Amino acid sequence: MKNYKMTIAYDGSRFYGWEHQPDIEMTIQGKLESVLAQMLGMEVEVIGCGRTDAGVHAKAYVCNVHMETDMNEIEIRDYMNHYLPDDIGVLEVKVASDRFHARYNAMGKTYQYACYIGDKKPIFDRKYVTYLEGKIDVEAIRKATTYLVGEHDFKSFCGNPKMKKSTVREIYSIDVTCRNGYMYLTYHGKGFLQYMVRILSGTLIEVGQGKRSPESMISLIEAKDRNLAGPTAPARGLTLLKVHYAK
């Protein structure tokens, strides 16, 4: 039995996130396992690199599955793409080492939150960006990110109030870029808490709107109180860009 590493892309608009949920058919993991069960004639478990929320997208999500098949990597990819819905695509299938685990071997992830800050409504990509009305102070957002980079206790930015494990995480960088009326917040970190990127984005948007100062990030981190941070930004603006592994 071989261990296959798969890289997939998906439009999460109509899905309830990556992970299986009771009585909910529309999950990415569920769709992949359903197609593989059809291909193999038996059920298998697809191991994901982590959870993505309902409505969140991915350009290069990584998962792995142990299975026995006479098909080669290209044939597996093509079979899956034929039977998967149009909003899920398998980009690559590669035989990995038996010890490879998509989640435990991940060294970090890069997420991007997209906002439209131009003066016209974004019609054709409205499912993938958050539309912000009014003037946005991008430089204030950039300044605020400097207080968030590094290793901190991000409890104020955790969406799980029952979190029992450590809420300390390390963010390597947050890049704020603007082009053609769009603002992109790109987060590269070792790992992220539930809803963390969306809460960070919602809070940074408030900085850009003048509702809070860049320096307020310091007290927010120290407070360890979710109620003091900004709103959870809509899922549609968030995309998992890359999962990083040791070479």
Side-chain angles (χ1 to χ4, degrees):
M1 184 174 290
K2 294 180 180 178
N3 186 18
Y4 291 89
K5 175 185 176 183
M6 299 183 180
T7 304
I8 64 172
Y10 54 84
D11 176 339
S13 300
R14 68 190 186 101
F15 292 96
Y16 290 88
W18 160 263
E19 193 174 44
H20 281 304
Q21 296 184 48
D23 303 320
I24 294 179
E25 180 185 352
M26 293 298 290
T27 66
I28 307 298
Q29 184 183 30
K31 289 297 182 183
L32 293 173
E33 290 180 350
S34 177
V35 170
L36 286 172
Q38 174 182 300
M39 183 183 88
L40 301 168
M42 61 179 294
E43 293 187 357
V44 291
E45 179 186 7
V46 178
I47 301 167
C49 61
R51 300 175 182 176
T52 55
D53 307 330
V56 171
H57 318 291
K59 288 189 175 180
Y61 185 97
V62 177
C63 55
N64 71 287
V65 56
H66 294 267
M67 59 186 183
E68 191 72 52
T69 176
D70 294 330
M71 292 183 179
N72 62 36
E73 291 105 318
I74 300 299
E75 290 171 336
I76 295 170
R77 182 199 66 188
D78 292 348
Y79 181 97
M80 295 183 72
N81 282 332
H82 180 76
Y83 289 103
L84 282 167
D86 291 342
D87 40 11
I88 304 176
V90 179
L91 305 178
E92 183 181 63
V93 177
K94 290 289 184 183
V95 175
S97 71
D98 290 339
R99 297 173 64 87
F100 175 76
H101 191 288
R103 180 183 175 188
Y104 297 144
N105 291 137
M107 303 293 290
K109 296 185 178 74
T110 299
Y111 283 93
Q112 187 174 83
Y113 197 86
C115 302
Y116 184 76
I117 59 175
D119 55 2
K120 299 176 182 177
K121 289 179 66 176
I123 302 302
F124 296 106
D125 58 357
R126 66 190 183 280
K127 293 192 297 181
Y128 313 106
V129 301
T130 293
Y131 176 40
L132 303 180
E133 297 185 73
K135 185 173 177 58
I136 300 296
D137 188 340
V138 177
E139 288 307 314
I141 293 176
R142 287 197 176 105
K143 185 175 181 181
T145 65
T146 64
Y147 300 107
L148 299 169
V149 172
E151 185 176 87
H152 305 287
D153 188 333
F154 285 99
K155 189 172 183 178
S156 290
F157 303 92
C158 178
N160 181 1
K162 298 180 181 179
M163 184 76 170
K164 295 181 180 179
K165 297 181 180 179
S166 172
T167 48
V168 174
R169 294 293 186 273
E170 183 176 3
I171 296 179
Y172 302 135
S173 64
I174 306 174
D175 296 320
V176 184
T177 56
C178 298
R179 58 182 181 272
N180 301 323
Y182 293 84
M183 178 179 70
Y184 301 95
L185 307 174
T186 306
Y187 303 83
H188 179 206
K190 188 173 182 179
F192 297 92
L193 302 164
Q194 187 174 9
Y195 302 144
M196 178 175 163
V197 176
R198 290 168 60 194
I199 297 170
L200 285 168
S201 298
T203 305
L204 290 171
I205 287 169
E206 286 195 336
V207 171
Q209 293 170 330
K211 296 179 180 178
R212 60 175 78 226
S213 69
E215 293 77 15
S216 68
M217 300 302 103
I218 300 172
S219 58
L220 263 180
I221 291 172
E222 293 174 347
K224 302 177 186 177
D225 185 348
R226 167 66 188 97
N227 294 319
L228 299 179
T232 304
R236 64 178 176 271
L238 184 59
T239 300
L240 173 63
L241 294 185
K242 187 175 182 179
V243 186
H244 303 271
Y245 295 93
K247 295 182 179 179

